[in-house]
Amino acid sequence: MSITPSNPLTPDTEFDNAIPPITVTDLESLDKNNLHRDAAAAASPDKDRDDFSTRGSVGEAPVDALITTLALLTGHGHDLSSLEPGASEPADNRHFHTLLSDRQIHHAVWTLAWPSIITMLMQTVNSLMDVFFVGHLPNGAHALAATGIGGSIMFLLISLAMGVSVGTTALVARFEGAEDAVGGIQATGQSITLSLLCALVFGAIFYCGRTALVGVLLDSSHNPEAARLCTEFIGIALLAVVPLFMMNVLMGAFRGLGDTRTPMLITIATIATHIGLNSVLIYGRLGFPRMEVRGAATAFAASLFVGLVLYLFALKRSPLGSALQYEHLRLKPDWAWRIFRIGLPAAGQAVIRQLGMMSFTGMLARTVEGTASVAALQIGIRAESIAFMPGFGYSVAAATLVGQNLGARNPRRAEQSAWAATYQAIAVMALMAAAFFAMAHFLAGVFTSDASVRLLGADYLRVNAICEPFLALGMVLTGALQGAGDTMRPTYITLFTMWVLRLPFGYLMMFVLHLNTHGAWIAMSVTTITGGLMTVCLFRAGTWKRIKV
């Protein structure tokens, strides 16, 4: 269902029809519709009040009412039509018009966000299934620590891929907003080539240095078995570094278009492949040998190749299909710099965060609890990700709408879209965090039979549930800034919270105050809250509205 004035804006009808990509043209049609409703309101104010009452109390979902109220109370509810030159609003109809236009913006955000939320939730389910399969091996604690650290290393590579993919999303969104199809195609083609080159370089570096890297992260002298398993895992998983990089770039291109459904469908197919191969290869079913941790790595690599094939097929059938032609794939230095200028700071931010988290994990491995604390961290992060992955989905919606609206020279509507996405993310993540706090022990027990790991994982979930609304602030508004091409200043926030605050504070809590893993969880929660508040201040400054890409 496209968002047009003729379609009822009810949140329960979008699943009944195919949803095309959302663009600023859709929102502009809503602006014009608002003006028509203003004229009707001036002619018949009584009728308008009746119509407003019906839509506000019966037709609107409870979550819509909550989000709209949050927007009004915090001063970020803006009249959509006032964003257009020459638009005006009757004084006696201002409250009605603000509510209605806010609801339309929220609907546009939700239409973009829900496929990304499904995508992220599917990836979370995939991670949880990894923990389930590996955690029930005979050497479960060592295997969990090995695949957890191995996954962190692969996520570090994904962070490096953001050096291209974030620039791709920002540029394609700007060109889409400006209705420049050739620019979007060129940006996508250049990004594909850059992702291939980066994958080959970083893949070779990580493969050659995998043993030394694992030895540092897992303290191989104290955890030799976990280090050995992790080295095996990384050696196989790195064979899929090319599809890993290219899939991230192609996902970014589709999101820049406003198409979040295609990445969702491809993710579902990729994860189905991964889970199916996990079941077969880890435990040696259907005639395959029992490969245990090596089977988990093989399933991961094979699923990425399947995903890349599906992305290339989808790209060929999309408006960006011409990007696969040689004239657009041939690398041009000016385009490479244009993409990297946006993407490299975002990649730096992700690398800083991931290296900080890996260093933090190394500190955990040296606590009294040792391997059990590392295993508990992996369980806690994967369980908690059910709450924060929706925040990532909303950050995608914010990035797309901010980029497209800036391309259409409408910075005020870009800001309104970002706040709308933020409010929805806070509402969802706060509710899920409450559930995790209440069911922490049960959730931790689902993924491991080790009593000590279960207790540490439950403690992680309870402590970190407190910071989820602040995590929503940081994630979504960072996505909005990235969509605007403002990627350098959020990197400074990450550098401060991860390296200046979390690591020293974590050391103090773990080893000076002797709180061990409980102190580590407190340090994580405090720094997450700090990062969210700092990102709010950065976004409210408004400098991102003047960024040129």
Side-chain angles (χ1 to χ4, degrees):
M1 179 187 73
S2 61
I3 303 180
T4 63
S6 61
N7 287 324
L9 299 177
T10 52
D12 56 334
T13 57
E14 66 237 26
F15 299 97
D16 296 335
N17 303 284
I19 301 178
I22 302 301
T23 67
V24 293
T25 303
D26 297 311
L27 292 177
E28 286 166 358
S29 69
L30 292 177
D31 288 344
K32 295 175 182 177
N33 188 45
N34 285 341
L35 295 177
H36 292 311
R37 285 174 176 165
D38 275 347
S44 180
D46 292 336
K47 181 179 182 296
D48 236 11
R49 282 193 294 269
D50 293 340
D51 184 49
F52 164 65
S53 175
T54 301
R55 274 178 280 187
S57 59
V58 178
E60 186 174 61
V63 70
D64 290 343
L66 171 62
I67 291 166
T68 300
T69 302
L70 281 172
L72 290 172
L73 289 175
T74 54
H76 292 106
H78 300 297
D79 172 13
L80 190 60
S81 70
S82 68
L83 307 181
E84 304 297 336
S88 61
E89 178 182 34
D92 60 346
N93 194 39
R94 184 177 295 116
H95 184 61
F96 161 71
H97 198 174
T98 300
L99 282 174
L100 184 60
S101 60
D102 274 349
R103 185 182 180 189
Q104 291 168 333
I105 284 289
H106 279 290
H107 180 82
V109 168
W110 172 246
T111 304
L112 270 175
W114 76 261
S116 294
I117 293 173
I118 297 298
T119 299
M120 295 301 106
L121 287 177
M122 289 300 299
Q123 291 179 353
T124 300
V125 169
N126 188 40
S127 296
L128 294 175
M129 291 302 296
D130 277 343
V131 172
F132 177 82
F133 285 124
V134 173
H136 286 83
L137 289 172
N139 56 347
H142 293 297
L144 277 174
T147 55
I149 293 297
S152 297
I153 294 173
M154 297 308 295
F155 193 82
L156 178 59
L157 283 167
I158 294 175
S159 301
L160 293 169
M162 290 177 65
V164 182
S165 64
V166 170
T168 305
T169 299
L171 287 170
V172 172
R174 283 284 183 110
F175 288 128
E176 182 70 12
E179 300 183 354
D180 182 356
V182 175
I185 290 171
Q186 187 71 15
T188 303
Q190 294 294 292
S191 297
I192 291 172
T193 302
L194 285 174
S195 69
L196 175 60
L197 295 175
C198 290
L200 294 175
V201 171
F202 287 118
I205 293 173
F206 274 67
Y207 190 86
C208 294
R210 67 189 186 279
T211 301
L213 182 59
V214 170
V216 171
L217 294 175
L218 267 175
D219 190 11
S220 55
S221 61
H222 289 82
N223 305 295
E225 178 65 12
R228 181 187 67 81
L229 293 174
C230 186
T231 303
E232 290 183 355
F233 179 91
I234 289 298
I236 297 172
L238 283 173
L239 298 178
V241 68
V242 169
L244 179 70
F245 270 67
M246 293 184 67
M247 283 177 64
N248 275 276
V249 165
L250 293 173
M251 182 183 296
F254 278 105
R255 288 171 174 170
L257 280 179
D259 180 2
T260 52
R261 292 178 71 250
T262 296
M264 176 190 71
L265 296 173
I266 293 176
T267 297
I268 291 173
T270 303
I271 289 174
T273 302
H274 187 193
I275 293 176
L277 290 177
N278 261 343
S279 177
V280 169
L281 298 179
I282 291 176
Y283 295 107
R285 293 167 178 160
L286 300 180
F288 286 89
R290 183 184 176 91
M291 300 175 67
E292 299 192 347
V293 170
R294 290 182 295 112
T298 304
F300 171 76
S303 66
L304 290 183
F305 279 100
V306 171
L308 177 59
V309 171
L310 294 175
Y311 262 115
L312 292 174
F313 178 76
L315 180 67
K316 189 65 177 176
R317 297 169 59 89
S318 76
L320 300 175
S322 299
L324 294 175
Q325 296 176 1
Y326 176 74
E327 61 180 303
H328 300 302
L329 291 172
R330 182 170 56 86
L331 193 62
K332 300 177 178 65
D334 57 331
W335 271 99
W337 168 242
R338 195 173 182 182
I339 294 168
F340 279 141
R341 186 178 61 186
I342 300 170
L344 285 179
Q349 179 186 14
V351 169
I352 288 169
R353 181 187 298 111
Q354 190 61 18
L355 287 177
M357 196 62 204
M358 291 165 71
S359 300
F360 192 80
T361 304
M363 292 169 60
L364 268 179
R366 289 161 175 81
T367 59
V368 174
E369 295 88 348
T371 300
S373 66
V374 176
L377 177 66
Q378 306 311 318
I379 289 176
I381 287 176
R382 283 167 170 78
E384 184 195 20
S385 64
I386 296 177
F388 69 67
M389 283 302 175
F392 187 86
Y394 280 110
S395 76
V396 169
T400 299
L401 289 173
V402 166
Q404 290 187 357
N405 278 294
L406 290 179
R409 302 183 183 276
N410 198 332
R412 290 188 62 195
R413 191 165 62 206
E415 181 176 9
Q416 187 182 21
S417 299
W419 283 116
T422 302
Y423 297 137
Q424 292 190 32
I426 290 174
V428 173
M429 292 173 68
L431 289 172
M432 298 184 77
F436 284 146
F437 187 92
M439 299 187 296
H441 191 77
F442 168 77
L443 290 172
V446 170
F447 304 108
T448 182
S449 55
D450 188 303
S452 60
V453 174
R454 186 188 309 125
L455 288 173
L456 295 173
D459 187 42
Y460 173 96
L461 290 174
R462 292 193 182 99
V463 173
N464 282 279
I466 300 170
C467 68
E468 293 299 325
F470 298 92
L471 181 61
L473 286 171
M475 293 179 71
V476 180
L477 293 181
T478 295
L481 292 168
Q482 290 179 347
D486 186 0
T487 52
M488 180 60 73
R489 295 182 304 155
T491 303
Y492 297 146
I493 294 178
T494 300
L495 180 63
F496 173 78
T497 55
M498 290 299 300
W499 288 89
V500 179
L501 187 57
R502 177 173 293 186
L503 292 180
F505 186 48
Y507 182 88
L508 173 68
M509 299 294 284
M510 282 185 273
F511 304 115
V512 178
L513 298 180
H514 303 291
L515 294 176
N516 293 302
T517 54
H518 184 67
W521 309 153
I522 293 174
M524 292 179 67
S525 184
V526 169
T527 53
T528 298
I529 292 171
T530 303
L533 295 176
M534 292 178 69
T535 306
V536 170
C537 294
L538 183 61
F539 185 80
R540 288 176 64 90
T543 307
W544 55 272
K545 299 176 185 178
R546 299 183 292 276
I547 296 291
K548 294 183 179 180
V549 298

